[in-house]
mmCIF file of all heavy atoms in Angstrom:
data_model
loop_
_atom_site.group_PDB
_atom_site.id
_atom_site.type_symbol
_atom_site.label_atom_id
_atom_site.label_comp_id
_atom_site.label_asym_id
_atom_site.label_seq_id
_atom_site.Cartn_x
_atom_site.Cartn_y
_atom_site.Cartn_z
ATOM 1 N N CYS A 7 -33.462 -33.340 19.675
ATOM 2 C CA CYS A 7 -34.638 -32.928 18.909
ATOM 3 C C CYS A 7 -35.782 -32.542 19.842
ATOM 4 O O CYS A 7 -35.663 -32.636 21.052
ATOM 5 C CB CYS A 7 -35.079 -34.063 17.998
ATOM 6 S SG CYS A 7 -35.664 -35.525 18.882
ATOM 7 N N ALA A 8 -36.869 -32.122 19.225
ATOM 8 C CA ALA A 8 -38.086 -31.816 19.974
ATOM 9 C C ALA A 8 -39.054 -32.978 19.820
ATOM 10 O O ALA A 8 -39.239 -33.497 18.727
ATOM 11 C CB ALA A 8 -38.718 -30.538 19.443
ATOM 12 N N ARG A 9 -39.640 -33.377 20.922
ATOM 13 C CA ARG A 9 -40.742 -34.344 20.880
ATOM 14 C C ARG A 9 -42.017 -33.517 20.996
ATOM 15 O O ARG A 9 -42.240 -32.864 22.012
ATOM 16 C CB ARG A 9 -40.641 -35.348 22.023
ATOM 17 C CG ARG A 9 -39.486 -36.323 21.874
ATOM 18 C CD ARG A 9 -39.600 -37.417 22.923
ATOM 19 N NE ARG A 9 -38.441 -38.266 22.947
ATOM 20 C CZ ARG A 9 -38.354 -39.447 22.325
ATOM 21 N NH1 ARG A 9 -39.363 -39.890 21.614
ATOM 22 N NH2 ARG A 9 -37.268 -40.174 22.414
ATOM 23 N N THR A 10 -42.835 -33.550 19.945
ATOM 24 C CA THR A 10 -44.045 -32.735 19.891
ATOM 25 C C THR A 10 -45.219 -33.573 19.397
ATOM 26 O O THR A 10 -45.031 -34.702 18.939
ATOM 27 C CB THR A 10 -43.865 -31.530 18.944
ATOM 28 O OG1 THR A 10 -43.680 -32.015 17.617
ATOM 29 C CG2 THR A 10 -42.676 -30.679 19.354
ATOM 30 N N LYS A 11 -46.410 -33.004 19.450
ATOM 31 C CA LYS A 11 -47.609 -33.724 18.998
ATOM 32 C C LYS A 11 -47.506 -34.176 17.549
ATOM 33 O O LYS A 11 -48.066 -35.193 17.174
ATOM 34 C CB LYS A 11 -48.835 -32.839 19.167
ATOM 35 C CG LYS A 11 -49.231 -32.626 20.597
ATOM 36 C CD LYS A 11 -50.453 -31.716 20.683
ATOM 37 C CE LYS A 11 -50.890 -31.528 22.096
ATOM 38 N NZ LYS A 11 -50.181 -30.493 22.821
ATOM 39 N N ASP A 12 -46.784 -33.416 16.734
ATOM 40 C CA ASP A 12 -46.674 -33.774 15.320
ATOM 41 C C ASP A 12 -45.316 -34.366 14.955
ATOM 42 O O ASP A 12 -44.946 -34.417 13.792
ATOM 43 C CB ASP A 12 -47.010 -32.577 14.427
ATOM 44 C CG ASP A 12 -46.080 -31.402 14.630
ATOM 45 O OD1 ASP A 12 -45.259 -31.421 15.565
ATOM 46 O OD2 ASP A 12 -46.180 -30.440 13.840
ATOM 47 N N SER A 13 -44.568 -34.835 15.954
ATOM 48 C CA SER A 13 -43.296 -35.516 15.684
ATOM 49 C C SER A 13 -43.553 -36.818 14.950
ATOM 50 O O SER A 13 -44.654 -37.356 14.989
ATOM 51 C CB SER A 13 -42.559 -35.833 16.993
ATOM 52 O OG SER A 13 -42.140 -34.667 17.639
ATOM 53 N N GLY A 14 -42.517 -37.324 14.321
ATOM 54 C CA GLY A 14 -42.686 -38.578 13.601
ATOM 55 C C GLY A 14 -41.421 -39.411 13.624
ATOM 56 O O GLY A 14 -40.621 -39.319 14.547
ATOM 57 N N ASP A 15 -41.269 -40.215 12.578
ATOM 58 C CA ASP A 15 -40.133 -41.126 12.469
ATOM 59 C C ASP A 15 -39.074 -40.549 11.548
ATOM 60 O O ASP A 15 -39.382 -39.885 10.557
ATOM 61 C CB ASP A 15 -40.578 -42.473 11.922
ATOM 62 C CG ASP A 15 -41.508 -43.198 12.868
ATOM 63 O OD1 ASP A 15 -41.521 -42.881 14.064
ATOM 64 O OD2 ASP A 15 -42.229 -44.096 12.404
ATOM 65 N N ILE A 16 -37.826 -40.848 11.877
ATOM 66 C CA ILE A 16 -36.702 -40.462 11.036
ATOM 67 C C ILE A 16 -35.991 -41.740 10.616
ATOM 68 O O ILE A 16 -35.670 -42.589 11.442
ATOM 69 C CB ILE A 16 -35.731 -39.540 11.788
ATOM 70 C CG1 ILE A 16 -36.429 -38.229 12.143
ATOM 71 C CG2 ILE A 16 -34.480 -39.285 10.961
ATOM 72 C CD1 ILE A 16 -35.596 -37.284 12.959
ATOM 73 N N LEU A 17 -35.773 -41.856 9.325
ATOM 74 C CA LEU A 17 -34.991 -42.960 8.778
ATOM 75 C C LEU A 17 -33.560 -42.460 8.642
ATOM 76 O O LEU A 17 -33.336 -41.304 8.255
ATOM 77 C CB LEU A 17 -35.550 -43.376 7.428
ATOM 78 C CG LEU A 17 -37.025 -43.788 7.446
ATOM 79 C CD1 LEU A 17 -37.561 -43.932 6.036
ATOM 80 C CD2 LEU A 17 -37.196 -45.073 8.215
ATOM 81 N N PHE A 18 -32.605 -43.318 8.952
ATOM 82 C CA PHE A 18 -31.219 -42.873 8.860
ATOM 83 C C PHE A 18 -30.311 -44.012 8.415
ATOM 84 O O PHE A 18 -30.610 -45.191 8.614
ATOM 85 C CB PHE A 18 -30.737 -42.275 10.185
ATOM 86 C CG PHE A 18 -30.560 -43.290 11.284
ATOM 87 C CD1 PHE A 18 -29.324 -43.836 11.548
ATOM 88 C CD2 PHE A 18 -31.641 -43.691 12.046
ATOM 89 C CE1 PHE A 18 -29.166 -44.774 12.555
ATOM 90 C CE2 PHE A 18 -31.495 -44.619 13.056
ATOM 91 C CZ PHE A 18 -30.251 -45.164 13.315
ATOM 92 N N SER A 19 -29.216 -43.620 7.823
ATOM 93 C CA SER A 19 -28.193 -44.559 7.382
ATOM 94 C C SER A 19 -26.839 -43.990 7.769
ATOM 95 O O SER A 19 -26.580 -42.801 7.561
ATOM 96 C CB SER A 19 -28.270 -44.741 5.862
ATOM 97 O OG SER A 19 -27.173 -45.483 5.399
ATOM 98 N N ILE A 20 -25.999 -44.825 8.345
ATOM 99 C CA ILE A 20 -24.641 -44.413 8.711
ATOM 100 C C ILE A 20 -23.668 -45.191 7.844
ATOM 101 O O ILE A 20 -23.707 -46.423 7.794
ATOM 102 C CB ILE A 20 -24.354 -44.679 10.201
ATOM 103 C CG1 ILE A 20 -25.332 -43.894 11.070
ATOM 104 C CG2 ILE A 20 -22.906 -44.310 10.546
ATOM 105 C CD1 ILE A 20 -25.212 -44.170 12.556
ATOM 106 N N ASP A 21 -22.835 -44.463 7.116
ATOM 107 C CA ASP A 21 -21.811 -45.059 6.253
ATOM 108 C C ASP A 21 -22.397 -46.033 5.242
ATOM 109 O O ASP A 21 -21.821 -47.087 4.960
ATOM 110 C CB ASP A 21 -20.729 -45.743 7.089
ATOM 111 C CG ASP A 21 -19.978 -44.767 7.977
ATOM 112 O OD1 ASP A 21 -19.892 -43.574 7.621
ATOM 113 O OD2 ASP A 21 -19.482 -45.186 9.031
ATOM 114 N N GLY A 22 -23.560 -45.721 4.700
ATOM 115 C CA GLY A 22 -24.163 -46.552 3.662
ATOM 116 C C GLY A 22 -24.872 -47.798 4.164
ATOM 117 O O GLY A 22 -25.280 -48.637 3.372
ATOM 118 N N SER A 23 -25.059 -47.918 5.469
ATOM 119 C CA SER A 23 -25.756 -49.087 6.018
ATOM 120 C C SER A 23 -27.227 -49.042 5.603
ATOM 121 O O SER A 23 -27.728 -48.000 5.191
ATOM 122 C CB SER A 23 -25.651 -49.087 7.544
ATOM 123 O OG SER A 23 -26.352 -47.965 8.068
ATOM 124 N N PRO A 24 -27.937 -50.171 5.711
ATOM 125 C CA PRO A 24 -29.382 -50.135 5.440
ATOM 126 C C PRO A 24 -30.058 -49.130 6.376
ATOM 127 O O PRO A 24 -29.622 -48.942 7.515
ATOM 128 C CB PRO A 24 -29.847 -51.564 5.757
ATOM 129 C CG PRO A 24 -28.609 -52.404 5.625
ATOM 130 C CD PRO A 24 -27.466 -51.518 6.042
ATOM 131 N N GLU A 25 -31.129 -48.507 5.887
ATOM 132 C CA GLU A 25 -31.827 -47.519 6.708
ATOM 133 C C GLU A 25 -32.402 -48.156 7.970
ATOM 134 O O GLU A 25 -32.939 -49.251 7.933
ATOM 135 C CB GLU A 25 -32.978 -46.881 5.930
ATOM 136 C CG GLU A 25 -32.568 -45.744 5.047
ATOM 137 C CD GLU A 25 -33.751 -45.023 4.449
ATOM 138 O OE1 GLU A 25 -34.803 -45.640 4.218
ATOM 139 O OE2 GLU A 25 -33.614 -43.817 4.200
ATOM 140 N N ALA A 26 -32.284 -47.428 9.063
ATOM 141 C CA ALA A 26 -32.910 -47.801 10.325
ATOM 142 C C ALA A 26 -33.903 -46.693 10.661
ATOM 143 O O ALA A 26 -33.876 -45.621 10.059
ATOM 144 C CB ALA A 26 -31.858 -47.945 11.421
ATOM 145 N N CYS A 27 -34.765 -46.939 11.621
ATOM 146 C CA CYS A 27 -35.812 -45.976 11.962
ATOM 147 C C CYS A 27 -35.763 -45.651 13.446
ATOM 148 O O CYS A 27 -35.605 -46.546 14.277
ATOM 149 C CB CYS A 27 -37.180 -46.563 11.603
ATOM 150 S SG CYS A 27 -38.560 -45.458 11.927
ATOM 151 N N VAL A 28 -35.872 -44.365 13.764
ATOM 152 C CA VAL A 28 -36.048 -43.927 15.150
ATOM 153 C C VAL A 28 -37.284 -43.035 15.206
ATOM 154 O O VAL A 28 -37.593 -42.326 14.254
ATOM 155 C CB VAL A 28 -34.823 -43.167 15.719
ATOM 156 C CG1 VAL A 28 -33.622 -44.065 15.835
ATOM 157 C CG2 VAL A 28 -34.515 -41.938 14.906
ATOM 158 N N SER A 29 -37.995 -43.114 16.298
ATOM 159 C CA SER A 29 -39.188 -42.294 16.467
ATOM 160 C C SER A 29 -38.870 -41.105 17.360
ATOM 161 O O SER A 29 -38.181 -41.248 18.368
ATOM 162 C CB SER A 29 -40.320 -43.115 17.099
ATOM 163 O OG SER A 29 -41.460 -42.298 17.242
ATOM 164 N N THR A 30 -39.384 -39.952 16.987
ATOM 165 C CA THR A 30 -39.250 -38.774 17.842
ATOM 166 C C THR A 30 -40.564 -38.502 18.568
ATOM 167 O O THR A 30 -40.728 -37.461 19.180
ATOM 168 C CB THR A 30 -38.820 -37.532 17.032
ATOM 169 O OG1 THR A 30 -39.822 -37.250 16.049
ATOM 170 C CG2 THR A 30 -37.477 -37.761 16.364
ATOM 171 N N TRP A 31 -41.489 -39.436 18.487
ATOM 172 C CA TRP A 31 -42.799 -39.305 19.119
ATOM 173 C C TRP A 31 -42.963 -40.385 20.179
ATOM 174 O O TRP A 31 -42.477 -41.508 20.036
ATOM 175 C CB TRP A 31 -43.909 -39.457 18.082
ATOM 176 C CG TRP A 31 -45.256 -39.105 18.600
ATOM 177 C CD1 TRP A 31 -45.844 -37.872 18.558
ATOM 178 C CD2 TRP A 31 -46.194 -39.972 19.253
ATOM 179 N NE1 TRP A 31 -47.093 -37.917 19.145
ATOM 180 C CE2 TRP A 31 -47.332 -39.207 19.584
ATOM 181 C CE3 TRP A 31 -46.193 -41.312 19.608
ATOM 182 C CZ2 TRP A 31 -48.438 -39.719 20.242
ATOM 183 C CZ3 TRP A 31 -47.294 -41.836 20.267
ATOM 184 C CH2 TRP A 31 -48.411 -41.038 20.571
ATOM 185 N N ASP A 32 -43.646 -40.037 21.259
ATOM 186 C CA ASP A 32 -44.060 -41.026 22.254
ATOM 187 C C ASP A 32 -45.393 -40.571 22.860
ATOM 188 O O ASP A 32 -45.892 -39.495 22.536
ATOM 189 C CB ASP A 32 -42.987 -41.262 23.325
ATOM 190 C CG ASP A 32 -42.656 -40.031 24.135
ATOM 191 O OD1 ASP A 32 -43.482 -39.095 24.227
ATOM 192 O OD2 ASP A 32 -41.556 -39.986 24.710
ATOM 193 N N LYS A 33 -45.980 -41.388 23.712
ATOM 194 C CA LYS A 33 -47.318 -41.094 24.231
ATOM 195 C C LYS A 33 -47.376 -39.799 25.037
ATOM 196 O O LYS A 33 -48.421 -39.177 25.135
ATOM 197 C CB LYS A 33 -47.833 -42.259 25.072
ATOM 198 C CG LYS A 33 -47.050 -42.501 26.342
ATOM 199 C CD LYS A 33 -47.585 -43.692 27.098
ATOM 200 C CE LYS A 33 -46.785 -43.918 28.382
ATOM 201 N NZ LYS A 33 -47.290 -45.050 29.122
ATOM 202 N N TYR A 34 -46.254 -39.358 25.593
ATOM 203 C CA TYR A 34 -46.242 -38.127 26.380
ATOM 204 C C TYR A 34 -46.368 -36.892 25.495
ATOM 205 O O TYR A 34 -46.722 -35.815 25.970
ATOM 206 C CB TYR A 34 -44.971 -38.057 27.233
ATOM 207 C CG TYR A 34 -44.851 -39.254 28.142
ATOM 208 C CD1 TYR A 34 -43.931 -40.260 27.866
ATOM 209 C CD2 TYR A 34 -45.678 -39.398 29.247
ATOM 210 C CE1 TYR A 34 -43.833 -41.378 28.683
ATOM 211 C CE2 TYR A 34 -45.591 -40.514 30.073
ATOM 212 C CZ TYR A 34 -44.667 -41.499 29.779
ATOM 213 O OH TYR A 34 -44.577 -42.603 30.584
ATOM 214 N N CYS A 35 -46.112 -37.043 24.193
ATOM 215 C CA CYS A 35 -46.257 -35.922 23.260
ATOM 216 C C CYS A 35 -47.700 -35.437 23.192
ATOM 217 O O CYS A 35 -47.954 -34.295 22.796
ATOM 218 C CB CYS A 35 -45.790 -36.326 21.863
ATOM 219 S SG CYS A 35 -44.022 -36.635 21.747
ATOM 220 N N LEU A 36 -48.658 -36.285 23.551
ATOM 221 C CA LEU A 36 -50.060 -35.877 23.541
ATOM 222 C C LEU A 36 -50.332 -34.786 24.578
ATOM 223 O O LEU A 36 -51.268 -34.004 24.426
ATOM 224 C CB LEU A 36 -50.972 -37.082 23.805
ATOM 225 C CG LEU A 36 -50.953 -38.168 22.746
ATOM 226 C CD1 LEU A 36 -51.746 -39.376 23.212
ATOM 227 C CD2 LEU A 36 -51.493 -37.631 21.427
ATOM 228 N N ASN A 37 -49.505 -34.736 25.619
ATOM 229 C CA ASN A 37 -49.733 -33.791 26.713
ATOM 230 C C ASN A 37 -48.780 -32.601 26.736
ATOM 231 O O ASN A 37 -49.153 -31.541 27.217
ATOM 232 C CB ASN A 37 -49.655 -34.524 28.055
ATOM 233 C CG ASN A 37 -50.716 -35.588 28.156
ATOM 234 O OD1 ASN A 37 -51.868 -35.350 27.826
ATOM 235 N ND2 ASN A 37 -50.331 -36.770 28.596
ATOM 236 N N PHE A 38 -47.544 -32.781 26.261
ATOM 237 C CA PHE A 38 -46.602 -31.662 26.294
ATOM 238 C C PHE A 38 -45.435 -31.898 25.341
ATOM 239 O O PHE A 38 -45.071 -33.031 25.046
ATOM 240 C CB PHE A 38 -46.087 -31.401 27.716
ATOM 241 C CG PHE A 38 -45.416 -32.580 28.364
ATOM 242 C CD1 PHE A 38 -44.047 -32.750 28.275
ATOM 243 C CD2 PHE A 38 -46.151 -33.515 29.078
ATOM 244 C CE1 PHE A 38 -43.428 -33.836 28.876
ATOM 245 C CE2 PHE A 38 -45.537 -34.601 29.690
ATOM 246 C CZ PHE A 38 -44.164 -34.756 29.584
ATOM 247 N N ASP A 39 -44.880 -30.779 24.864
ATOM 248 C CA ASP A 39 -43.676 -30.795 24.024
ATOM 249 C C ASP A 39 -42.454 -30.731 24.933
ATOM 250 O O ASP A 39 -42.513 -30.149 26.019
ATOM 251 C CB ASP A 39 -43.646 -29.581 23.090
ATOM 252 C CG ASP A 39 -44.813 -29.555 22.128
ATOM 253 O OD1 ASP A 39 -45.484 -30.591 21.961
ATOM 254 O OD2 ASP A 39 -45.048 -28.493 21.536
ATOM 255 N N ARG A 40 -41.353 -31.307 24.452
ATOM 256 C CA ARG A 40 -40.122 -31.253 25.244
ATOM 257 C C ARG A 40 -38.923 -31.620 24.380
ATOM 258 O O ARG A 40 -39.075 -32.300 23.362
ATOM 259 C CB ARG A 40 -40.211 -32.195 26.428
ATOM 260 C CG ARG A 40 -40.251 -33.653 26.022
ATOM 261 C CD ARG A 40 -40.805 -34.520 27.125
ATOM 262 N NE ARG A 40 -40.669 -35.925 26.811
ATOM 263 C CZ ARG A 40 -41.471 -36.588 25.975
ATOM 264 N NH1 ARG A 40 -42.448 -35.970 25.358
ATOM 265 N NH2 ARG A 40 -41.292 -37.871 25.746
ATOM 266 N N PRO A 41 -37.730 -31.199 24.791
ATOM 267 C CA PRO A 41 -36.535 -31.617 24.077
ATOM 268 C C PRO A 41 -36.190 -33.049 24.451
ATOM 269 O O PRO A 41 -36.569 -33.533 25.522
ATOM 270 C CB PRO A 41 -35.467 -30.640 24.556
ATOM 271 C CG PRO A 41 -35.926 -30.214 25.908
ATOM 272 C CD PRO A 41 -37.433 -30.267 25.870
ATOM 273 N N ALA A 42 -35.475 -33.732 23.568
ATOM 274 C CA ALA A 42 -35.087 -35.124 23.831
ATOM 275 C C ALA A 42 -33.791 -35.457 23.118
ATOM 276 O O ALA A 42 -33.467 -34.857 22.096
ATOM 277 C CB ALA A 42 -36.181 -36.071 23.362
ATOM 278 N N ILE A 43 -33.097 -36.406 23.654
ATOM 279 C CA ILE A 43 -31.918 -36.963 22.992
ATOM 280 C C ILE A 43 -32.302 -38.355 22.509
ATOM 281 O O ILE A 43 -32.722 -39.198 23.301
ATOM 282 C CB ILE A 43 -30.709 -37.021 23.937
ATOM 283 C CG1 ILE A 43 -30.301 -35.607 24.338
ATOM 284 C CG2 ILE A 43 -29.556 -37.760 23.277
ATOM 285 C CD1 ILE A 43 -29.223 -35.543 25.387
ATOM 286 N N VAL A 44 -32.188 -38.571 21.206
ATOM 287 C CA VAL A 44 -32.560 -39.846 20.587
ATOM 288 C C VAL A 44 -31.284 -40.511 20.073
ATOM 289 O O VAL A 44 -30.599 -39.950 19.213
ATOM 290 C CB VAL A 44 -33.555 -39.630 19.427
ATOM 291 C CG1 VAL A 44 -33.893 -40.940 18.761
ATOM 292 C CG2 VAL A 44 -34.812 -38.936 19.936
ATOM 293 N N PRO A 45 -30.912 -41.681 20.600
ATOM 294 C CA PRO A 45 -29.699 -42.350 20.121
ATOM 295 C C PRO A 45 -29.876 -42.875 18.698
ATOM 296 O O PRO A 45 -30.906 -43.451 18.359
ATOM 297 C CB PRO A 45 -29.497 -43.490 21.116
ATOM 298 C CG PRO A 45 -30.803 -43.676 21.787
ATOM 299 C CD PRO A 45 -31.580 -42.411 21.660
ATOM 300 N N PHE A 46 -28.867 -42.649 17.870
ATOM 301 C CA PHE A 46 -28.879 -43.111 16.489
ATOM 302 C C PHE A 46 -27.981 -44.321 16.268
ATOM 303 O O PHE A 46 -28.154 -45.033 15.302
ATOM 304 C CB PHE A 46 -28.392 -41.995 15.557
ATOM 305 C CG PHE A 46 -29.498 -41.183 14.965
ATOM 306 C CD1 PHE A 46 -30.592 -40.800 15.712
ATOM 307 C CD2 PHE A 46 -29.436 -40.798 13.654
ATOM 308 C CE1 PHE A 46 -31.602 -40.041 15.163
ATOM 309 C CE2 PHE A 46 -30.441 -40.035 13.095
ATOM 310 C CZ PHE A 46 -31.520 -39.661 13.847
ATOM 311 N N SER A 47 -26.987 -44.493 17.113
ATOM 312 C CA SER A 47 -26.040 -45.567 16.818
ATOM 313 C C SER A 47 -25.469 -46.147 18.097
ATOM 314 O O SER A 47 -25.358 -45.455 19.101
ATOM 315 C CB SER A 47 -24.883 -45.030 15.971
ATOM 316 O OG SER A 47 -24.076 -44.162 16.750
ATOM 317 N N PRO A 48 -25.080 -47.409 18.021
ATOM 318 C CA PRO A 48 -24.228 -47.941 19.083
ATOM 319 C C PRO A 48 -22.839 -47.333 18.854
ATOM 320 O O PRO A 48 -22.661 -46.529 17.946
ATOM 321 C CB PRO A 48 -24.232 -49.449 18.799
ATOM 322 C CG PRO A 48 -24.490 -49.537 17.336
ATOM 323 C CD PRO A 48 -25.369 -48.374 16.985
ATOM 324 N N TRP A 49 -21.914 -47.717 19.616
ATOM 325 C CA TRP A 49 -20.571 -47.182 19.429
ATOM 326 C C TRP A 49 -20.044 -47.581 18.056
ATOM 327 O O TRP A 49 -20.108 -48.738 17.663
ATOM 328 C CB TRP A 49 -19.637 -47.668 20.533
ATOM 329 C CG TRP A 49 -20.016 -47.064 21.843
ATOM 330 C CD1 TRP A 49 -20.714 -47.674 22.842
ATOM 331 C CD2 TRP A 49 -19.780 -45.738 22.279
ATOM 332 N NE1 TRP A 49 -20.919 -46.811 23.881
ATOM 333 C CE2 TRP A 49 -20.350 -45.607 23.564
ATOM 334 C CE3 TRP A 49 -19.135 -44.643 21.716
ATOM 335 C CZ2 TRP A 49 -20.291 -44.422 24.280
ATOM 336 C CZ3 TRP A 49 -19.086 -43.465 22.447
ATOM 337 C CH2 TRP A 49 -19.655 -43.366 23.706
ATOM 338 N N LEU A 50 -19.530 -46.608 17.347
ATOM 339 C CA LEU A 50 -18.931 -46.820 16.029
ATOM 340 C C LEU A 50 -17.421 -46.887 16.181
ATOM 341 O O LEU A 50 -16.878 -46.495 17.215
ATOM 342 C CB LEU A 50 -19.287 -45.645 15.102
ATOM 343 C CG LEU A 50 -20.775 -45.383 14.895
ATOM 344 C CD1 LEU A 50 -20.976 -44.010 14.256
ATOM 345 C CD2 LEU A 50 -21.368 -46.470 14.023
ATOM 346 N N SER A 51 -16.735 -47.347 15.151
ATOM 347 C CA SER A 51 -15.279 -47.281 15.189
ATOM 348 C C SER A 51 -14.866 -45.811 15.130
ATOM 349 O O SER A 51 -15.548 -44.989 14.517
ATOM 350 C CB SER A 51 -14.678 -48.059 14.016
ATOM 351 O OG SER A 51 -15.119 -47.502 12.784
#
C-alpha cells in the first residue's frame, strides 16, 4: 500500500475471524509519501 498523509487504519478479517486492525499511517507520513508492505497475518495453514 501507500503510506501517505491521509492514510488510516484498515480493519480485516481472515476466514471469519474477529476483525483486527492495521495502520497504514506512521509519523514519517507527515514528511513524505512512500510504498509499504503491511503484514496482515502470521503464517496460516
Side-chain angles (χ1 to χ4, degrees):
C7 65
R9 290 189 188 263
T10 65
K11 289 179 178 84
D12 61 352
S13 293
D15 295 340
I16 296 176
L17 303 169
F18 70 96
S19 171
I20 300 175
D21 297 333
S23 65
E25 276 188 330
C27 182
V28 294
S29 180
T30 61
W31 190 91
D32 62 23
K33 66 182 180 180
Y34 303 106
C35 293
L36 295 172
N37 298 314
F38 57 93
D39 298 344
R40 67 200 188 282
I43 296 173
V44 178
F46 265 41
S47 70
W49 292 102
L50 302 166
S51 60

